[in-house]
Amino acid sequence: MPANAVSVRDVSKTFRVYHDRNQSLKATVLKRGRAKYEEFWALKGVDLDIAEGQTFGLLGRNGSGKSTLLKCIAGILTPNTGSITTRGRVAAMLEVGSGFHPELSGRENIYLNGAILGMTKQEVDRKLDAIVDFSGVERFIDHPVKNYSSGMYVRLGFSVSIHTEPDLLLVDEVLAVGDMEFQAKCQEKFAALKRDGKTVVVVSHDLGTMRTFCDRAAWLDHGELQAVGRASTIVDKYADDNHHVHGVEGGGKRHGTGEVRFTKAALLDEDGREVTEIRPDQPVTLRMHYDAPRGFESPNFSATINTMHGQRMWAIIAQDRGFLPTRLEPGSGTVDIAIAGLPLQPAEYEIGVEVRGIDEPEPADSVQAISKFAMRRAAETYGGMLAIESAFVDFSTGLTSDRAAS
Amino acid sequence: MTVSTPPTARVTINLLKNLTLREVRSEYKRTVLGRVWSLVNPLAQIAVFSIVFGLIFGMQAEPGINSGVHSFPIWIGIGVIVWGFISGSIRAGMGALMANAGLLQKVALPRWVLVLSKVLALVFTFLIELAVICVVMALVGGWQIILTLPLLLPLLLVTAAFTLGIGLMLSVATVYFRDIEHLWSIVVQVWMYASGVVFPVSLVASKQAELDAQGVTVLGMPVPLLAVFEYNPAQVLLSMYRNVLYDFAAPSMGDWLVVSLWAVAALVVGGLVFRRFSRNIVEEL
């Protein structure tokens, strides 16, 4: 039984939400005491053990308290009650490039940032080459960082952080920095930390990453611990629970001439019932409801399915498919799109819809996220972004190498 | 309560060194004159004070006891740079937490290091200014300055400890009450004149004698004019620097005792206040 890298015991944390934030002596004297405030419970009686060598995910909606918990573990925030014990060197990657000074060179900032993250000079000396190499900014290492592109800045900061080589690494949503190549390097580095038996605690909204990256996970809601267990189990539970959240408030970004207005878009199952959660292998119909009070000539409809982060998973444009009604008569109506299946990982997705006259530069109506739906988990578990039916089918072993024979 | 392995002394010292270097290196970046600015500023102030108080008001400083130097501008110069360090390092120390709000919200580090690094960065500037004064005095007053020069080290230590203590205290106070920053500007003005930066305390003593002779009282007591100066640690520190640099003489044991007590008291109270209140500052930033 490995020891615990982190033990969280009955931790509660409240924040004061001030009605009239008035940080002045006068107000304090006159009102006898601080300005009026309400207590907001960010964490309520959280108990959690994270074993050494685990990669642990913290899941939850915005404001669920996961970042607060991470900051409490890091020692940045102090809980009101309860205790948190950590073992070994802790490094928190809540931000990259903490304390970077824009006027100082990349090299000077490496030493500065390293010191802030708890490294000694000898340690930075030793790792300098590796840090510079990893960041990929060798050519500019003696230039002031204010001249860096945002990508270079982030890469350098990340590179210093990851080379802290702590026993316990706390990461908040910074897994996705830099370009594809750099991201691959980061993943490798995290994998190496894992192999070395280091403990990593990650906060992320990206369910796919959580599922593939973490061994175990905890799910927080309104500051309370909902469940702890195997990462894939917790991610599924979380995704299943979130299906009832749909109908995007305000519909995301909306623009267009207004000649046509979408009133609704929904997924229908095989029986024509509206559903807000589907399975990857389930055939569905996407029905768009519109209003065209004065009619509309040669409409070109399109629809998209996007992740909550706005990444496009699927798109279809009527013109490409030769689906071109000559006109929409005054009044309202619907357009149906048949979808054989959406082999996507469990998560929430948004539906975007658009209609414009053929070759018109301006859409009549375009809604970025008119509604949401939740993907339930497939029968089997997969990693990555797609849930495609697949299976291990063959196996061979003990083959003699050709090189040895020749 | 959060229990975690505290950083080792080496890590903390490295952090302190790097944060101090950041302050020192970045202060005059991209200026043509660079570090020379740190001398131009006090020089301008010395010139103004010398003209206003020395030339126009005709004020005089006693000749240096052992040095025999008789120069009002140098006498005032020592006052200006010592006072500049005292007020400057307290101001920088008290703003240290606010200035590093972003860092405090994202990284767990020993927070007092931020205040100390600000003070140390100013110690560096102060050392350069002291060196210039020493050279000037050696040229005007002779090589004998070397005899008292080593006393500068403990004196500097006591001064820095005093300003650090007050800086620690005010840095957390400012996080909770932003007004303090503005209030402090007024305090500093009054404090400067009460520290004998631009006129000798002997002038105050004669005024006090005049008032006492006239029988002027406040609430039945003699006007505590001279007392304000004599009990003011900054005034005592200033006179000690003048002892060493202007008179080439050792400050009295009484003065050493007074300023040491002030320094220890400021450090202890400042340290305790800081430890008690710095824990929850991130929520207030």
Side-chain angles (χ1 to χ4, degrees):
Chain A
M1 178 85 196
N4 284 332
V6 185
S7 306
V8 177
R9 288 280 159 275
D10 193 30
V11 162
S12 294
K13 175 76 190 165
T14 60
F15 284 111
R16 289 171 175 183
V17 181
Y18 290 89
H19 295 307
D20 175 23
R21 179 102 213 204
N22 204 348
Q23 275 173 325
S24 75
L25 283 171
K26 186 183 127 209
T28 307
V29 174
L30 291 183
K31 289 179 186 162
R32 272 195 280 145
R34 303 296 300 276
K36 283 212 168 21
Y37 60 83
E38 261 174 50
E39 296 265 288
F40 164 76
W41 289 81
L43 291 173
K44 232 186 236 174
V46 175
D47 268 298
L48 192 63
D49 283 313
I50 301 173
E52 246 166 31
Q54 267 181 4
T55 302
F56 198 95
L58 291 174
L59 269 174
R61 291 194 206 113
N62 287 333
S64 62
K66 53 193 191 313
S67 288
T68 304
L69 180 57
L70 203 68
K71 283 186 174 182
C72 284
I73 295 173
I76 294 166
L77 297 175
T78 316
N80 299 52
T81 59
S83 69
I84 297 174
T85 314
T86 56
R87 284 162 54 97
R89 180 197 259 185
V90 183
M93 224 194 264
L94 307 187
E95 174 191 66
V96 291
S98 300
F100 267 22
H101 195 291
E103 296 287 352
L104 299 181
S105 74
R107 189 188 303 276
E108 287 169 322
N109 269 308
I110 291 176
Y111 280 94
L112 174 63
N113 193 223
I116 286 169
L117 295 173
M119 284 196 255
T120 60
K121 175 161 188 306
Q122 292 78 356
E123 216 178 328
V124 182
D125 284 339
R126 207 172 60 236
K127 293 173 182 168
L128 185 68
D129 290 339
I131 291 172
V132 175
D133 197 43
F134 189 86
S135 69
V137 297
E138 296 91 343
R139 280 179 52 212
F140 305 98
I141 200 65
D142 289 311
H143 290 233
V145 295
K146 65 171 180 190
N147 295 338
Y148 283 25
S149 70
S150 57
M152 283 158 66
Y153 188 94
V154 166
R155 273 176 3 229
L156 186 64
F158 189 91
S159 182
V160 183
S161 302
I162 199 82
H163 284 88
T164 324
E165 287 170 8
D167 302 304
L168 171 62
L169 180 66
L170 309 170
V171 185
D172 193 356
E173 294 278 12
V174 289
L175 290 167
V177 297
D179 53 16
M180 296 277 278
E181 193 193 334
F182 188 72
Q183 275 197 37
K185 270 196 203 164
C186 295
Q187 295 292 350
E188 249 170 59
K189 197 78 192 172
F190 276 113
L193 280 176
K194 218 165 152 171
R195 275 198 305 275
D196 294 345
K198 307 294 188 189
T199 316
V200 182
V201 182
V202 190
V203 163
S204 178
H205 283 114
D206 187 347
L207 297 183
T209 311
M210 286 295 232
R211 175 193 289 278
T212 49
F213 185 66
C214 298
D215 311 318
R216 287 172 69 79
W219 167 22
L220 281 162
D221 195 34
H222 292 102
E224 287 176 272
L225 204 57
Q226 303 295 312
V228 187
R230 272 189 50 201
S232 54
T233 318
I234 300 295
V235 169
D236 289 339
K237 265 193 184 166
Y238 173 73
D240 282 355
D241 181 75
N242 273 288
H243 69 259
H244 55 263
V245 194
H246 67 98
V248 181
E249 230 170 272
K253 284 186 193 134
R254 181 172 206 151
H255 65 111
T257 60
E259 290 163 276
V260 183
R261 295 278 295 179
F262 285 107
T263 49
K264 189 170 135 180
L267 295 179
L268 312 181
D269 66 7
E270 288 110 314
D271 303 324
R273 284 189 305 246
E274 284 187 15
V275 286
T276 55
E277 51 172 299
I278 58 173
R279 290 182 178 282
D281 55 352
Q282 186 180 352
V284 287
T285 302
L286 169 57
R287 177 164 293 170
M288 303 184 270
H289 298 254
Y290 67 86
D291 225 350
R294 293 193 304 276
F296 192 71
E297 296 298 326
S298 11
N300 178 16
F301 287 93
S302 56
T304 59
I305 288 174
N306 310 296
T307 66
M308 304 295 282
H309 297 298
Q311 186 172 12
R312 182 146 301 168
M313 304 307 289
W314 170 85
I316 187 167
I317 300 168
Q319 192 175 10
D320 298 348
R321 307 302 177 106
F323 179 82
L324 294 168
T326 48
R327 76 178 256 108
L328 302 177
E329 298 300 330
S332 60
T334 59
V335 179
D336 286 0
I337 301 167
I339 301 170
L342 287 164
L344 302 174
Q345 277 295 348
E348 278 181 43
Y349 296 94
E350 292 172 346
I351 299 172
V353 290
E354 188 182 285
V355 60
R356 63 174 80 207
I358 288 288
D359 300 327
E360 288 289 325
E362 175 82 345
D365 194 18
S366 172
V367 194
Q368 197 185 31
I370 194 163
S371 61
K372 275 190 206 175
F373 66 91
M375 183 60 71
R376 302 206 60 154
R377 82 192 104 129
E380 311 291 343
T381 306
Y382 306 100
M385 293 167 77
L386 301 179
I388 303 172
E389 216 178 293
S390 44
F392 289 95
V393 288
D394 208 355
F395 173 65
S396 65
T397 181
L399 302 174
T400 43
S401 138
D402 288 345
R403 253 174 303 157
S406 61
Chain B
M1 186 183 64
T2 306
V3 182
S4 55
T5 328
T8 63
R10 256 175 67 200
V11 167
T12 308
I13 289 168
N14 187 44
L15 173 62
L16 186 57
K17 191 188 88 186
N18 273 283
L19 285 174
T20 308
L21 275 177
R22 176 177 73 164
E23 299 295 329
V24 172
R25 281 178 181 156
S26 61
E27 197 180 0
Y28 296 105
K29 280 258 166 162
R30 302 204 52 204
T31 59
V32 178
L33 292 184
R35 199 136 280 289
V36 175
W37 276 117
S38 75
L39 293 174
V40 172
N41 240 322
L43 269 178
Q45 225 180 339
I46 291 165
V48 170
F49 284 149
S50 299
I51 291 167
V52 173
F53 293 96
L55 199 69
I56 301 175
F57 286 93
M59 244 176 243
Q60 290 284 324
E62 296 289 313
I65 299 166
N66 298 326
S67 66
V69 171
H70 193 201
S71 160
F72 190 64
I74 296 181
W75 186 87
I76 233 175
I78 297 169
V80 164
I81 68 154
V82 174
W83 173 253
F85 171 70
I86 293 174
S87 63
S89 62
I90 290 175
R91 175 163 290 283
M94 80 186 269
L97 296 178
M98 300 288 293
N100 287 293
L103 198 56
L104 287 167
Q105 281 161 343
K106 298 292 182 186
V107 188
L109 40 74
R111 290 169 183 167
W112 55 268
V113 170
L114 294 170
V115 181
L116 180 53
S117 70
K118 289 272 186 190
V119 174
L120 286 184
L122 283 168
V123 166
F124 179 79
T125 310
F126 187 38
L127 280 174
I128 296 176
E129 293 166 348
L130 285 177
V132 172
I133 289 271
C134 286
V135 170
V136 171
M137 276 310 288
L139 290 176
V140 185
W143 62 270
Q144 287 88 341
I145 191 170
I146 302 171
L147 300 177
T148 47
L149 215 50
L151 290 172
L152 271 187
L153 192 68
L155 194 51
L156 180 60
L157 210 68
V158 171
T159 318
F162 174 68
T163 61
L164 173 65
I166 297 187
L168 281 171
M169 206 175 335
L170 293 176
S171 66
V172 275
T174 321
V175 172
Y176 290 93
F177 305 106
R178 308 282 153 103
D179 299 44
I180 288 179
E181 234 184 302
H182 303 285
L183 196 64
W184 189 249
S185 303
I186 301 169
V187 172
V188 164
Q189 270 190 42
V190 177
W191 197 7
M192 185 188 100
Y193 284 98
S195 301
V197 175
V198 288
F199 50 82
V201 180
S202 57
L203 220 64
V204 183
S206 59
K207 195 77 198 165
Q208 177 82 57
E210 219 174 281
L211 287 173
D212 289 348
Q214 289 168 3
V216 182
T217 57
V218 176
L219 304 168
M221 310 259 282
V223 187
L225 189 63
L226 187 58
V228 166
F229 284 79
E230 281 176 340
Y231 290 109
N232 171 1
Q235 190 279 129
V236 180
L237 283 168
L238 249 69
S239 75
M240 290 171 80
Y241 278 94
R242 279 175 177 146
N243 281 155
V244 174
L245 293 169
Y246 190 73
D247 297 330
F248 297 176
S252 73
M253 284 321 278
D255 282 353
W256 280 113
L257 189 69
V258 167
V259 291
S260 301
L261 284 177
W262 270 104
V264 170
L267 261 189
V268 168
V269 175
L272 287 175
V273 167
F274 194 83
R275 204 171 66 174
R276 167 80 178 76
F277 291 102
S278 70
R279 198 180 302 154
N280 289 317
I281 49 168
V282 172
E283 290 87 329
E284 300 284 340
L285 281 169

